């Protein structure tokens, strides 16, 4: 026998589990919360609407949840994430194999071609192939380089 409160509860829990386990905090969460709120409302009031009325109620509560929760979810998802600076490439000196400028370039190191660019505060505007450079940071899989001091 169809019970809209139980159906809403099952749908809400399934959507919430899917969102958390597979997707990880997406707008699907608003539908899950809407279905769970519908289930709670139906249990509390004893009201047992038709399938279509239950779906309309769940959609309305999902929309209300999305309107209220969208901004907090965006702030949570865009929270400041500190970049991992623990790479063993940082501080390593390498020889450029292609020209590298402040806007970009490519270096070949350890069998791999890496996107690279000169640091914004670098005195040099470009490095020619064969120049020595030190890796000072890695940003979005791009090596940030500074020219090495010439050997004396």
């Amino acid at each position: 026998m169809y019970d809209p409160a139980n159906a809403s509860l099952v749908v809400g829990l399934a959507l919430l589990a899917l969102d958390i386990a597979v997707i990880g905090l997406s707008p699907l969460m608003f539908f899950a919360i809407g279905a769970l709120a519908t289930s709670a409302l139906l249990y509390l009031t004893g009201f047992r609407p038709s399938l279509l009325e239950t779906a309309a109620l769940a959609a309305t509560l999902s929309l209300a949840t999305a309107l209220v929760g969208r901004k907090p979810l965006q702030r949570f998802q865009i929270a400041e994430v500190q970049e991992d600076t623990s790479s063993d490439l940082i501080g390593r000196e390498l020889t450029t194999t292609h020209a590298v400028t402040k806007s970009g370039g490519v270096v070949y190191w350890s069998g791999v071609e890496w996107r690279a660019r000169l640091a914004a505060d670098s005195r040099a505007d470009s490095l020619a192939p064969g120049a020595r450079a030190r890796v000072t940071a890695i940003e979005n899989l791009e090596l940030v380089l500074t020219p090495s001091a010439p050997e004396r």
Side-chain angles (χ1 to χ4, degrees):
M1 178 174 181
Y2 169 74
D3 182 9
N6 289 337
S8 298
L9 180 63
V10 170
V11 168
L13 290 175
L15 289 174
L16 192 59
L18 176 69
D19 186 55
I20 291 171
V22 178
I23 302 170
L25 288 182
S26 73
L28 184 62
M29 177 185 62
F30 297 128
F31 292 107
I33 292 171
L36 292 173
T38 299
S39 178
L41 184 65
L42 296 179
Y43 275 121
L44 291 174
T45 62
F47 179 54
R48 297 296 184 255
S50 69
L51 178 61
L52 185 59
E53 292 169 328
T54 304
L57 180 60
T60 302
L61 291 175
S62 296
L63 178 62
T65 303
L67 291 174
V68 171
R70 184 176 59 93
K71 288 288 186 191
L73 180 63
Q74 284 177 339
R75 278 194 301 274
F76 177 75
Q77 289 176 330
I78 304 174
E80 287 293 320
V81 177
Q82 291 191 357
E83 190 164 337
D84 182 13
T85 58
S86 63
S87 173
D88 61 345
L89 278 172
I90 295 174
R92 188 168 300 271
E93 194 166 291
L94 51 85
T95 303
T96 60
T97 53
H98 299 80
V100 177
T101 66
K102 289 184 178 182
S103 62
V106 176
V107 296
Y108 188 80
W109 186 80
S110 188
V112 178
E113 277 194 349
W114 292 80
R115 290 183 311 132
R117 65 176 169 79
L118 284 172
D121 61 353
S122 175
R123 287 187 225 161
D125 290 327
S126 67
L127 292 175
R132 299 290 293 164
R134 184 173 307 279
V135 178
T136 57
I138 300 174
E139 297 174 355
N140 298 322
L141 296 177
E142 182 176 54
L143 304 180
V144 180
L145 308 174
T146 57
S148 295
E151 293 183 23
R152 296 181 191 191

